[in-house]
Amino acid sequence: ASGSESKNMAAGGWIQAGNPNEHAGLDFMMRMGKDITLDVYAHLYLSDDDNSFGLYGAYFWNFYLKAVPADLGRMGFYVGPTAGLGLWDVEYFVDAALANDRYWWRGEFGFAIRFGVTGGFQWEFPVIPLQLYIELSPVGEFQYISWEDEHYLGTRRIDYREDSDIHWALPEFYLRVGVRFWF
């Protein structure tokens, strides 16, 4: 056995599908009791025209499978509430290099307050204190988005629009796969 069940903290990383601004991030988990864990995870993505940040937390109840032999490690399911905050700032061109050198530029800023329930499957390896997990998070998001649209002819701006929108995104689904090292 790896002894990961006797360790209280884990750190790792994850990749995610379901949100174009959140591809990967870091994960920190703490055991709060025999079958209770607290998970804090974050992502930071910086590039020339696409920046985003998110910080989230979850409280999990863990249900380990007793029928799995100890030499295969420890496997089980978990479920619990999750919440967090995400921010993004994106700039891009739309219809660039069209006839007559006309194009649109768009800048978008937004934030989302997220809440939901996360469930997943975890496998703590038998020899090393490593855990592999896969989880599905159906969440609701309160989103605020502000954007600017500029229409150009060559280098001359010929039109400008600015607007904002507040809405609920229900439901959003995120699929995460990750690994944690227990210490």
Side-chain angles (χ1 to χ4, degrees):
S2 68
S4 61
E5 65 277 359
S6 64
K7 302 191 183 318
N8 291 325
M9 291 185 271
W14 51 270
I15 57 174
Q16 177 173 274
N19 186 333
N21 293 324
E22 294 178 0
H23 308 291
L26 299 176
D27 189 0
F28 179 76
M29 183 172 266
M30 290 184 352
R31 291 197 204 276
M32 306 300 288
K34 182 181 172 191
D35 296 324
I36 305 289
T37 51
L38 179 65
D39 189 20
V40 177
Y41 52 101
H43 82 91
L44 178 64
Y45 180 72
L46 300 173
S47 74
D48 289 341
D49 300 321
D50 186 3
N51 305 301
S52 63
F53 170 76
L55 182 63
Y56 311 100
Y59 185 88
F60 294 135
W61 291 275
N62 298 273
F63 305 96
Y64 295 102
L65 303 172
K66 305 288 186 205
V68 176
D71 59 343
L72 293 179
R74 194 160 81 145
M75 297 179 197
F77 296 93
Y78 58 91
V79 65
T82 185
L85 175 68
L87 303 165
W88 66 92
D89 183 17
V90 180
E91 297 178 7
Y92 54 92
F93 293 97
V94 181
D95 298 329
L98 292 178
N100 300 324
D101 201 25
R102 292 176 182 252
Y103 62 90
W104 284 93
W105 171 86
R106 169 168 266 196
E108 181 180 296
F109 168 80
F111 72 87
I113 299 171
R114 181 184 299 174
F115 63 93
V117 175
T118 296
F121 176 79
Q122 59 191 345
W123 174 32
E124 294 176 8
F125 286 33
V127 178
I128 56 175
L130 199 63
Q131 178 186 51
L132 180 66
Y133 67 94
I134 183 168
E135 64 185 34
L136 180 64
S137 296
V139 298
E141 290 185 348
F142 172 79
Q143 297 178 344
Y144 170 79
I145 302 172
S146 172
W147 66 86
E148 299 175 353
D149 288 327
E150 297 183 42
H151 191 185
Y152 285 88
L153 176 59
T155 59
R156 184 171 59 98
R157 185 169 77 174
I158 58 176
D159 190 15
Y160 175 79
R161 290 182 291 197
E162 184 176 340
D163 203 358
S164 63
D165 182 29
I166 297 174
H167 64 273
W168 287 97
L170 291 171
E172 294 281 332
F173 290 94
Y174 301 111
L175 179 67
R176 258 194 330 153
V177 175
V179 64
R180 297 180 186 109
F181 181 79
W182 286 93
F183 56 95

